[in-house]
Amino acid sequence: TSAQIGVTGLAVMGRNLARNFARNGYTVAVHNRTASRMKALVEEFGHEGGFIGAETAEEFVAALERPRRLVIMVKAGEPTDAVIQEFAPLLEPGDMIIDGGNAHFADTRRRERELRERGIHFVGTGISGGEEGALHGPSIMPGGSVESYASLGPMLEKISAKAKDGAPCVTHCGPDGAGHFVKMVHNGIEYADMQLIGEAYQLLRDVAGYSPAEIAEIFRTWNTGRLDSYLIEITAEVLSHVDAATGKPFVDVVVDQAEQKGTGRWTVQIALDLGVPVSGIAEAVFARSLSGHAKLREASQGLAGPTAVPLGKEEAAAFADRVEQALYASKIVSYTQGFHEIAAGSEEYGWDIDLGAVASIWRGGCIIRAAFLDRIRAAYDARADLPSLLSDETFAREIAAAQDDWREVLIAATRQGVPTPGFAAALAYYDALRATRLPAALTQGQRDFFGAHTYRRVDREGTFHTLWGGDRSEVSA
Ligand code: NDP
């Protein structure tokens, strides 16, 4: 017997992905640099389905039916290149290497090009949902050739999460690095979602005066409405958890320094390169880095702030409703920015990514899964060339209804000295987009003054320069 698919790299993700394939009826060849992990998998979970354990790369490749489908689930970066170099010489034209790690899309583009020259399909694939997702059904974002997707698609559909309407959470995102790019932005949006939720929590605690347990209840209520999502659900779980050792709310015994693995940072770096304003995502990345500057924070403890005036009980309840509006409006902006980045990447690299399909495959399995994504898909279904999610009538109407509360929440935050960079960046983006005139005109004037960088006029075609150092007359540049 031969295996329809092979997985090499059997840490949490690879092991669970291999089990997922096996549980869905596929025979799976399994391999790991350190063979003990492979043996442990076969021993512990062999009863779940058809596994072929391979100790060497040669055995592993020999176990696969042709064309071979070989999934790499190793540490992203150099280990991925090392594994490719180990296996590629053993493969034949038409075979497929699927990289399910969190690779940078530029690496994926390079690897795809190199392997294409040898006739091998390299399928950079974003996989979201953590270890649970890998086992029970992740959201899967494959790139690579159309030909490879024809072979892999049905298998990926089988092991993927299913949205509430039963649709598999996988789509061919586009050629070469498209899948890893989409996964990168997914993670950037995840950072923004988490930051916004964090700010809502802080406001409910410091402005409204609620306890973590009370805030958990508020989040549970929100989760029955338009904010219904995995992240809101687990937020309530974390907030209601009590530390066994101290009896304190768990959230109060955790060091408040957020860590990151890099995909959020990449989202912002690439957005800067593409010239896409993803200010909400950027603030989320910066907020994590600020939290980690322990010495800087320590040195700033004595800085002056406003005198906090806690709200009364009734005011607090009304304020909580406002925070829900602010959170929802800011969330719309985060997704607007993230989808803009995907559209810009798609344009830059010629990927032709279907934004509605992306929204659709994020509805299940992944960390940002949410009822909300149905509405984004509907927005792109209604109009594939939507310039921005904010141009969608439904979203525009919802923000119109939320904006007064959104502004009130930011006023309260400012007055009480609660940092809300995510909410504030989102509102500034919204206000800047709807402004008829921006101070960018002044910026252009300054640039022309100090550097003769020229400007365009509102009333005439052409490029102009003012002779600032001379008689200040205008010349055509
Ligand atoms: P790790 O990222 O911790 O990687 C460990 C695996 O990589 C082990 O199988 C290890 O083999 C192998 N490995 C490391 N270096 C080499 C090398 N030079 N040659 C061969 N094999 C090597 O495992 P995870 O399961 O957490 O993640 C796997 C991939 O999935 C990563 O790219 C990660 O970013 C991505 N991912 C992870 C998610 C998560 O929630 N953890 C979610 C989505 C994606 P050995 O046992 O011999 O050390």
Side-chain angles (χ1 to χ4, degrees), residues 283-404:
E283 287 294 356
V285 176
F286 284 136
R288 287 199 195 185
S289 83
L290 187 149
S291 77
H293 279 281
K295 278 194 192 140
L296 186 59
R297 290 175 60 194
E298 178 66 34
S300 310
Q301 287 303 301
L303 295 177
T307 312
V309 191
L311 299 177
K313 221 174 171 154
E314 261 169 44
E315 285 173 308
F319 183 72
D321 290 342
R322 290 204 176 100
V323 173
E324 193 268 349
Q325 297 277 4
L327 177 55
Y328 187 69
S330 303
K331 184 180 169 81
I332 294 175
V333 169
S334 296
Y335 283 72
T336 300
Q337 295 181 345
F339 276 85
H340 184 185
E341 180 163 351
I342 295 176
S346 178
E347 175 81 27
E348 172 76 15
Y349 298 105
W351 286 327
D352 199 21
I353 297 175
D354 178 339
L355 300 178
V358 169
S360 178
I361 65 165
W362 288 348
R363 291 180 303 161
C366 65
I367 305 298
I368 64 171
R369 60 184 182 263
F372 177 68
L373 285 154
D374 264 328
R375 315 166 73 131
I376 297 186
R377 193 190 56 167
Y380 284 114
D381 279 353
R383 206 182 143 192
D385 67 339
L386 203 63
S388 143
L389 280 179
L390 294 176
S391 323
D392 175 69
E393 268 177 43
T394 311
F395 287 129
R397 208 178 321 115
E398 285 180 318
I399 290 206
Q403 64 148 342
D404 286 344

Side-chain angles (χ1 to χ4, degrees), residues 10-11 13 32-34 37 73-76 79 83 101-102 127 130:
L10 300 172
M13 288 295 289
N32 192 68
R33 178 179 61 179
T34 315
R37 275 199 210 266
M73 264 334 255
V74 302
K75 216 175 204 31
V83 171
N102 265 333
I127 298 181

Side-chain angles (χ1 to χ4, degrees), residues 100-120:
N102 265 333
H104 191 292
F105 79 95
D107 286 335
T108 301
R109 282 168 59 78
R110 168 178 57 77
R111 291 166 183 151
E112 196 274 340
R113 203 182 323 114
E114 288 165 4
L115 287 164
R116 194 182 337 128
E117 283 166 12
R118 306 160 80 156
I120 296 166

Side-chain angles (χ1 to χ4, degrees), residues 453-471:
H453 292 303
T454 75
Y455 52 87
R456 286 176 294 126
R457 295 183 56 99
V458 296
D459 53 358
R460 264 185 286 143
E461 287 292 311
T463 312
F464 302 93
H465 168 57
T466 290
L467 301 170
W468 296 102
D471 64 359

